[in-house]
Amino acid sequence: MASSLSSAAVSSRIFAASSSATARLCLLRSPPSLSFSYSLKSFHFSALQRRPSVIVWSSGRFSTVSTPRCAASDPNQLRSARDDIKELLKSKFCHPILVRLGWHDAGTYNKNIEAWPQRGGANGSLRFEVELKHAANAGLVNALNLIQPIKDKYSGVTYADLFQLASATAIEEAGGPKIPMKYGRVDVSAPNECPEEGRLPAAGPPSPADHLREVFYRMGLNDKEIVALSGAHTLGRSRPERSGWGKPETKYTKDGPGAPGGQSWTVQWLKFDNSYFKDIKAKRDEDLLVLPTDAVLFEDPSFKVYAEKYAEDEEAFFKDYAEAHAKLSNLGAKFDPPEGIVTPCKG
């Protein structure tokens, strides 16, 4: 946080930047248009949700105690939040950045660290300024801006769950496979619980294959899952002002939808299919982006087996992608209940 947070309105368990009626929350050092201002009545961290209170008779007197929560996130609110995310996708065409939001929260996981939250992963830490400022997260403030009103509306859903719910819903609404998700992820509660910078993949490392394996093997993922997850680049665009890669605009992006500009990996960059693999293999269109970490999928012998398969067989890609996405979304998470909430979002 840009400033220390004090506890305000104890009965509501609210964090705020000040005790005034409206708190200026310095989650982000950004231009005024990107900063947040919330009423103390509406903003809170779900990791510190108030538990229901009951009156009990004990030791000859009445007293108030808190009853345990049944889960980190409320299943009914998860279902309602999913509906709101669908409406957001229809109006803002923000499928790619919501996928990225979920991925970057989960993708900091280190399988070699057992302790939570030091191991990183899907724990909602990406909402804090210190992690949003990591170079790999450039532009994700915009995703947080989009999703925050839904978080405010559904206080019984953790940030960790909301980020993963938004990511999976975006894939499905873009025409992709149904992701076998579970929920109940617990949020970290403070910026000092964020992972250090450098755990996410880079776009143009000196040795792309080695880099991808170093990053994804650290998460416990294998070559098949690396290639399948790379296929999500069928959605979205790269903007040079954020990543340093891509053209300012192309014939496929100059008119949007959504904010125009950037360079996409595919022609229909809001449709989830296997075009990413087909287009990399064809190498026919200079207006389509191919990063070093994309090209290596058809150069490295092990990666190439899966890339060739997915270019020819969309059904196989969808199956492997759904499994890999679900696995990624669970990395490092602490679930309450421990088994998770398996089916909160049908339909």
Side-chain angles (χ1 to χ4, degrees), residues 109-120 332-334:
Y109 175 62
N110 186 338
K111 68 177 183 180
N112 301 310
I113 300 174
E114 184 176 353
W116 184 93
Q118 291 88 342
R119 64 193 183 215
K334 180 169 72 173

Side-chain angles (χ1 to χ4, degrees), residues 139-157:
L140 282 179
V141 57
N142 299 306
L144 192 61
N145 280 335
L146 288 168
I147 212 75
Q148 186 64 50
I150 298 176
K151 179 68 182 77
D152 293 339
K153 185 176 178 181
Y154 302 109
S155 62
V157 176

Side-chain angles (χ1 to χ4, degrees), residues 299-347:
E299 296 166 355
D300 179 88
S302 178
F303 289 158
K304 185 176 181 180
V305 171
Y306 301 107
E308 293 277 5
K309 178 182 178 181
Y310 299 152
E312 298 299 323
D313 189 342
E314 185 175 83
E315 184 177 348
F317 166 52
F318 274 30
K319 177 182 180 295
D320 290 349
Y321 178 84
E323 293 173 358
H325 184 124
K327 181 176 179 178
L328 174 66
S329 77
N330 295 335
L331 294 181
K334 180 169 72 173
F335 285 93
D336 178 12
E339 69 275 13
I341 304 166
V342 178
T343 57
C345 299
K346 294 180 178 179

Side-chain angles (χ1 to χ4, degrees), residues 134-204:
H134 293 177
N137 294 328
L140 282 179
V141 57
N142 299 306
L144 192 61
N145 280 335
L146 288 168
I147 212 75
Q148 186 64 50
I150 298 176
K151 179 68 182 77
D152 293 339
K153 185 176 178 181
Y154 302 109
S155 62
V157 176
T158 63
Y159 278 98
D161 272 349
L162 187 62
F163 293 167
Q164 300 308 321
L165 175 64
S167 182
T169 303
I171 293 291
E172 294 168 9
E173 291 298 296
K178 178 75 175 177
I179 313 295
M181 299 290 290
K182 68 176 181 177
Y183 297 92
R185 296 168 187 80
V186 176
D187 278 340
V188 298
S189 57
N192 63 2
E193 296 177 311
C194 292
E196 74 279 3
E197 188 166 6
R199 294 194 187 185
L200 294 170

